[in-house]
Amino acid sequence: MMPSITNERVVQLYPLSNYTFGTKEPQYEKDASVAARFQRMRDEYSSFGMRRTVEGVLLVHEHNLPHVLLLQLGTSFFKLPGAEVAPGEDENECLKKCLTETLGRSGDTIPWGIDELIGNWWRPNYEPPQYPYVPPHVTKPKEHRRLFLVRLPERAMFAVPRNYKLVAAPLFELYDNSNGYGPVISTLPQNLSRFSFVYA
């Protein structure tokens, strides 16, 4: 008889209603446009090499359905909270600092639980396309994005920059919806499918 394989990870999720959302001063992107972002990436590559980016996947549930917390800018742009990692900086510490600066309240400390790496994405050139692998013809990718599962405390108070909305998107809405959420966020349901969720 074949032995059973029980390596499924269990993740505790808390209801969206456990969290309070306030507002704070706006936070603006470093770059005024996509073109400016790629130009800065190009300018910095000669000094620092490939850009390293970390992003957090924050999960809650509504009616026992997992939802991902996303930052929404305008009507149709969604992103995970994240930041560029400075040379020599620890990835976990960078992500914790980013989450606190983006969603934390002044004087309040949220115990972000940086957990498992759930995704790697590479940008081969100074262009929008990204892939969950390094294409065989690419020897020097320009950016490496790493997505980490972030365990939230049972209760917390968030402060969202006024120029953003923090939305809870159900996994079924993200699935196979790259037109609405982009190629990275729309594959989160597949990346998260190996976890077993427990709903508080």
Side-chain angles (χ1 to χ4, degrees):
M1 191 169 86
M2 293 288 292
S4 63
I5 300 175
T6 56
N7 57 357
E8 195 172 37
R9 284 287 311 279
V10 175
V11 176
Q12 176 92 53
L13 300 186
Y14 299 103
L16 180 61
S17 58
N18 278 22
Y19 304 99
T20 303
F21 302 93
T23 60
K24 61 183 177 183
E25 291 302 307
Q27 292 183 7
Y28 298 103
E29 301 286 328
K30 287 184 179 180
D31 310 298
S33 66
V34 174
R37 181 171 186 269
F38 289 139
Q39 184 58 53
R40 182 168 63 87
M41 189 182 295
R42 186 187 299 273
D43 295 341
E44 293 176 350
Y45 185 83
S46 58
S47 300
F48 306 115
M50 180 183 66
R51 175 175 293 178
R52 295 185 302 136
T53 306
V54 289
E55 298 177 7
V57 179
L58 285 59
L59 297 174
V60 297
H61 80 84
E62 277 199 291
H63 310 296
N64 292 351
L65 292 172
H67 288 56
V68 181
L69 296 182
L70 300 173
L71 291 166
Q72 179 180 352
L73 182 61
T75 58
S76 60
F77 178 74
F78 299 89
K79 71 173 189 173
L80 296 166
E84 299 168 19
V85 183
E89 185 178 17
D90 179 77
E91 288 182 338
N92 283 14
E93 293 306 313
C94 174
L95 184 52
K96 286 181 182 178
K97 181 177 71 174
C98 165
L99 292 171
T100 296
E101 290 175 352
T102 306
L103 297 175
R105 298 189 312 154
S106 178
D108 190 16
T109 301
I110 297 175
W112 309 106
I114 310 302
D115 202 312
E116 192 170 325
L117 175 70
I118 62 171
N120 285 283
W121 287 79
W122 284 267
R123 189 187 306 276
N125 301 299
Y126 305 110
E127 298 172 350
Q130 301 167 76
Y131 305 93
Y133 55 86
V134 180
H137 64 282
V138 174
T139 58
K140 295 180 179 180
K142 302 305 182 284
E143 182 179 15
H144 183 193
R145 294 174 65 184
R146 288 163 64 84
L147 279 57
F148 290 89
L149 180 66
V150 178
R151 292 180 183 260
L152 294 175
E154 184 175 357
R155 297 182 183 276
M157 298 182 68
F158 298 116
V160 183
R162 287 195 185 94
N163 55 324
Y164 285 101
K165 292 180 182 177
L166 190 65
V167 299
L171 292 188
F172 65 78
E173 184 178 318
L174 303 181
Y175 176 69
D176 201 26
N177 191 0
S178 59
N179 287 336
Y181 293 95
V184 176
I185 293 174
S186 64
T187 57
L188 287 177
Q190 292 95 314
N191 291 335
L192 293 168
S193 66
R194 71 177 186 271
F195 298 107
S196 178
F197 296 117
V198 175
Y199 306 105

